[in-house]
Amino acid sequence: GKSIADAQARAPELTAAIEAGNGQMAQLKEDLKNHQNDRAAAKTAMAEATALREKEAAEFAGVSTDLNTNIAAIKKAVAAIEKGASGAFLQTNAASLLKNLVMSDKTNLLDVDRQDLASFLAGGSSDETSNVGAVTGILKQMRDTIQSELDKATAEEEGAIKSFDALVAAKEKQINADTAAIESKIERIGNLGVEIETMKADRSEER
């Protein structure tokens, strides 16, 4: 009869449809895996960038604290000299900090300037007006040099924060897009699986 002929005609169509469904299923599973890998990579990149940013922020905090402390010590020294109170200043912690700074290689001082400062900080020749003027000049120059170092470090830190924020925003966007794609693919895989099973059942009835 006609219905048997129809069923026989439909069987190859169902087989073709099942094969097409299986092809789609393989592609969906591949896409799902790619989105999962991309999302994992984005999360890893974010974690690595965060760890680096925390390290850089800690380094900057250390550097800026040191530079600010040095600037404050120099300002105290200049104020004391200008008030004629250098003797009292030489007894302070700021003076001993300044002594260490002057003797370190960090200041790029000329040897003659270093000697003048060292002599002043040791309590020698602090009452000679000419020498006091020279010492004040050297100290102000030191302060400006350290301030420019601090400005440079601050600008670099601000730049690094901006770059980090941009990277995090981009990765979060990617993670959200991948998550949406993963959810949609999982749903599609579930629905397609049901469709394929239904067609298989229909085909076995047609035979």
Side-chain angles (χ1 to χ4, degrees):
K2 190 174 181 314
S3 62
I4 293 170
D6 285 349
Q8 283 169 340
R10 251 193 94 205
E13 279 173 31
L14 281 168
T15 299
I18 290 164
E19 278 171 14
N22 286 335
Q24 260 185 299
M25 179 68 87
Q27 186 59 55
L28 281 167
K29 286 183 174 171
E30 181 68 21
D31 291 347
L32 175 63
K33 199 170 101 188
N34 289 339
H35 284 299
Q36 285 169 331
N37 289 341
D38 288 349
R39 182 173 68 174
K43 285 181 175 178
T44 302
M46 254 176 82
E48 284 169 359
T50 302
L52 179 65
R53 177 83 287 276
E54 284 168 0
K55 183 170 169 269
E56 287 172 350
E59 280 168 10
F60 170 73
V63 167
S64 68
T65 299
D66 286 349
L67 295 176
N68 277 312
T69 304
N70 294 341
I71 290 167
I74 293 169
K75 282 180 178 169
K76 280 180 190 166
V78 171
I81 293 166
E82 287 173 349
K83 273 192 233 157
S86 52
F89 169 75
L90 293 174
Q91 310 305 314
T92 64
N93 287 336
S96 52
L97 187 143
L98 207 50
K99 236 177 256 181
N100 293 336
L101 181 64
V102 168
M103 298 325 288
S104 76
D105 296 327
K106 291 179 193 167
T107 47
N108 301 322
L109 285 169
L110 295 171
D111 283 345
V112 61
D113 291 346
R114 198 188 298 276
Q115 281 161 12
D116 278 352
L117 278 183
S119 167
F120 160 70
L121 290 164
S125 66
S126 57
D127 298 326
E128 292 172 26
T129 317
S130 62
N131 195 57
V132 164
V135 166
T136 308
I138 299 163
L139 285 170
K140 286 180 176 174
Q141 194 187 329
M142 261 175 77
R143 181 195 61 205
D144 293 347
T145 304
I146 296 170
Q147 184 62 55
S148 72
E149 271 181 61
L150 179 60
D151 293 344
K152 183 170 172 261
T154 304
E156 282 172 7
E157 173 68 1
E158 284 167 359
I161 290 169
K162 270 188 193 157
S163 300
F164 171 72
D165 288 346
L167 179 135
V168 167
K171 294 296 175 195
E172 280 178 347
K173 200 173 166 189
Q174 189 192 334
I175 288 165
N176 291 338
D178 281 322
T179 300
I182 287 165
E183 286 167 3
S184 132
K185 294 278 186 286
I186 287 171
E187 188 183 353
R188 186 79 195 88
I189 286 167
N191 293 340
L192 185 59
V194 172
E195 285 169 33
I196 291 169
E197 289 310 311
T198 306
M199 288 190 286
K200 281 181 180 172
D202 287 352
R203 186 178 59 180
S204 61
E205 281 171 22
E206 304 294 358
R207 284 178 172 167

